[in-house]
Amino acid sequence: MRKIYIFDTTLRDGEQSPGVNLNMQEKVEIALQLEKLGIDRIEAGFPAASPGDLAGVRAVAEAVRNSSVIGLARSREKDIDAVHEALKNAQDPAIHVFLATSPIHREHKLRMSKEQVLETAEAAIRYAKKYFSKIEFSPEDAGRTELDFLCEVTEMAIRAGATVVNIPDTVGYMTPSEFGNIFKTLREKVPGIEKIQLSAHCHDDLGMATANALAAILNGADQVEGTINGIGERAGNTSLEEVAMALETRQEFYQAKTTLRLSEIARTSRLVSKLTGMVVPGNKAIVGANAFAHESGIHQDGMLKEKTTYEIMSPETIGLKESKLVLGKHSGRHAFREKLIDLGYELNEEQLNSAFAKFKDLADKKKQVLDEDIRTLVEEKMIGTPEIFALESLRLVYGDNPQPGAVVRIKTAEGAWSRKRRTATGPWMRFIKRSTK
Ligand code: KIV
Ligand code: ZN
């Protein structure tokens, strides 16, 4: 099995998600969790971008001991100096230098010829060599770069001293077969390619980031770059948890594996979501709330008989406790009966039939039937729990003058129904009143 190195850029490309801004403590907290997950390489930020970014990269470099820590730099001496400054105390520092190579970027953004691009990138890699033994070079927008020129750039980067050449599909334009072909061609045509690692960096604009990264692996990539939960610029980056679980689940097919501690995936995903404020959609592969939840009666029946009928991975692998059978209008009797047993009810066949009919009525009106709904339905309607109280009326008074309060009228069944009336005001309401004086 070939090892695939995992390069996490949650703290750099991920932090470029619109609206995300992590402070230094948050960056360190995420980096330490990435280290626990077993990430090989952590791109901690872009030190030349701002003093705050430099401080964040420095703090991560000082905290992390077991993963390599990387800083991003444009092909400029001042950027490379900033990365050097930020990574002085790193246990295993590395630099990531980039320069765009596609015709669109050369013409409109850089206003450089091919020769100028080659010279500028080479000078930057050689300058970085003064400080770093591990240098990754990225030809930005490689996906839209002429393949011959990309081979030339890669050859130059190897000669200048890069140890990793990363191929970014910067704008998420590639299809898996096109992206795979880039790796195949580089492996076949570039002299010295065996001396370095090839890496894939994909964006998800057309929803193909994970598929493209996997196609790169099949065609000779040694490293995949991405983020937790797939966050990042625009539609985001490759989701690292998706790549890790695809390699785990389809090991025979890919003949490659990561050394991630997969049971840390769910925890890492939750932490990144909490600190970035980017909510993970319920249907997100691997880490969405519904990734291991089943609603249809047919699926629930299958799951109860044999989990592999409808699950290709187990939730325990990524650190979750168990799959969920969600009760809703598509659920069947089998799942309903199991839920009743779970909740501690033993109903005879007739009671079960009647409870199931009531449950279906309720499920038609409510999206999801919760445990409390089932308890109420069974206890009130089926077991015939005697009615002890009934709410007759409720009056609420809001405001600070008169004091807020409530009047509740409850009917109690003491032989015949009798009525009781009490009024009270809550202590927290008094507190609010005092504290606003
Ligand atoms: O998407 C991209 O091209 C990048 C580079 C900096 C590698 O993030
Ligand atoms: Zn990117």
Side-chain angles (χ1 to χ4, degrees):
M1 285 284 157
R2 223 154 48 88
K3 167 167 162 128
I4 301 300
Y5 288 79
I6 298 294
F7 177 113
D8 180 283
T9 182
T10 305
L11 298 175
R12 198 278 297 170
D13 219 328
E15 212 216 5
Q16 287 173 219
S17 306
V20 173
N21 187 359
L22 296 164
N23 64 34
M24 211 158 79
Q25 283 87 343
E26 290 168 335
K27 281 196 164 196
V28 170
E29 203 178 333
I30 291 176
L32 290 175
Q33 180 57 36
L34 294 173
E35 185 183 31
K36 246 195 208 157
L37 175 62
I39 294 288
D40 301 292
R41 295 160 185 171
I42 299 174
E43 186 167 55
F46 183 7
S50 71
D53 233 45
L54 191 144
V57 176
R58 182 186 285 135
V60 169
E62 282 166 3
V64 168
R65 300 288 93 184
N66 299 314
S67 312
S68 178
V69 177
I70 294 150
L72 180 71
R74 288 166 294 186
S75 291
R76 296 181 186 180
E77 292 189 358
K78 108 176 197 325
D79 282 29
I80 296 166
D81 291 338
V83 175
H84 173 238
E85 177 61 33
L87 295 184
K88 270 187 180 150
N89 297 325
Q91 178 80 18
D92 183 9
I95 188 166
H96 178 187
V97 180
F98 73 99
L99 185 66
T101 52
S102 68
I104 297 180
H105 281 240
R106 289 193 317 257
E107 187 183 332
H108 301 290
K109 187 180 86 176
L110 300 175
R111 299 183 204 288
M112 279 186 186
S113 65
K114 283 183 178 173
E115 291 66 36
Q116 284 171 313
V117 166
L118 283 166
E119 272 167 30
T120 309
E122 178 165 1
I125 297 169
R126 291 196 188 281
Y127 186 77
K129 244 194 134 45
K130 280 198 339 187
Y131 303 127
F132 296 96
S133 61
K134 294 183 179 173
I135 302 171
E136 170 168 316
F137 177 73
S138 286
E140 191 191 5
D141 204 14
R144 293 188 297 172
T145 299
E146 306 91 329
L147 201 41
D148 284 355
F149 185 51
L150 193 60
C151 289
E152 223 180 303
V153 171
T154 305
E155 193 180 338
M156 169 282 295
I158 298 169
R159 257 192 287 105
T163 48
V164 178
V165 172
N166 176 47
I167 304 298
D169 178 19
T170 303
V171 288
Y173 183 73
M174 295 277 93
T175 67
S177 64
E178 287 171 323
F179 199 57
N181 184 50
I182 294 180
F183 285 80
K184 187 166 172 281
T185 309
L186 292 175
R187 284 253 171 253
E188 282 169 3
K189 295 210 169 141
V190 176
I193 196 80
E194 67 293 342
K195 292 193 221 138
I196 57 140
Q197 291 190 340
L198 276 180
S199 167
H201 177 114
C202 303
H203 279 267
D204 207 31
D205 300 64
L206 294 174
M208 288 195 274
T210 298
N212 285 341
L214 292 168
I217 290 174
L218 285 174
N219 286 280
D222 306 282
Q223 171 177 285
V224 165
E225 302 195 358
T227 58
I228 301 298
N229 300 337
I231 64 170
E233 204 55 71
R234 304 181 313 279
N237 291 59
T238 301
S239 285
L240 290 178
E241 65 277 7
E242 291 176 12
V243 172
M245 287 307 288
L247 295 184
E248 169 74 10
T249 311
R250 302 299 312 275
Q251 240 177 64
E252 295 292 300
F253 179 75
Y254 289 105
Q255 291 292 312
K257 60 174 188 174
T258 70
T259 49
L260 294 193
R261 239 162 266 121
L262 301 174
S263 58
E264 290 294 329
I265 286 180
R267 200 194 318 276
T268 314
S269 162
R270 279 195 297 266
L271 181 70
V272 169
S273 173
K274 185 178 93 181
L275 297 185
T276 58
M278 292 196 72
V279 178
V280 177
N283 65 337
K284 164 83 179 61
I286 318 294
V287 290
N290 296 342
F292 296 95
H294 307 265
E295 214 232 39
S296 112
I298 297 167
H299 290 209
Q300 291 180 340
D301 182 52
M303 280 292 294
L304 289 164
K305 288 174 177 155
E306 167 55 46
K307 288 190 174 161
T308 54
T309 50
Y310 287 102
E311 272 184 358
I312 57 166
M313 310 165 257
S314 78
E316 291 83 1
T317 311
I318 65 155
L320 292 173
K321 279 215 178 66
E322 56 192 7
S323 321
K324 277 188 282 178
L325 298 189
V326 178
L327 289 186
K329 70 173 178 182
H330 302 110
S331 304
R333 277 171 65 87
H334 193 167
F336 183 65
R337 183 195 283 123
E338 289 297 316
K339 175 57 88 181
L340 291 179
I341 294 170
D342 251 23
L343 295 176
Y345 297 111
E346 275 177 47
L347 302 191
N348 62 33
E349 207 51 26
E350 193 188 325
Q351 286 174 321
L352 178 71
N353 287 343
S354 167
F356 186 60
K358 296 247 177 331
F359 155 73
K360 281 285 185 179
D361 275 352
L362 182 63
D364 260 340
K365 294 179 200 123
K366 245 185 133 216
K367 277 196 187 348
Q368 196 177 329
V369 180
L370 306 174
D371 289 0
E372 302 86 270
D373 298 320
I374 305 220
R375 280 199 191 95
T376 311
L377 188 143
V378 172
E379 288 179 9
E380 278 186 1
K381 309 283 183 231
M382 305 313 310
I383 304 181
T385 310
E387 207 169 18
I388 299 171
F389 300 107
L391 180 67
E392 193 179 72
S393 69
L394 167 68
R395 185 154 57 88
L396 297 168
V397 182
Y398 297 99
D400 67 347
N401 192 13
Q403 210 173 41
V407 180
V408 185
R409 286 162 74 96
I410 291 172
K411 285 197 290 187
T412 62
E414 288 163 349
W417 284 102
S418 67
R419 286 192 172 79
K420 293 194 184 250
R421 185 174 181 279
R422 299 273 189 282
T423 57
T425 53
W428 65 274
M429 291 180 177
R430 282 197 291 278
F431 169 76
I432 288 171
K433 218 171 157 220
R434 263 206 312 279
S435 61
T436 52
K437 267 186 195 155

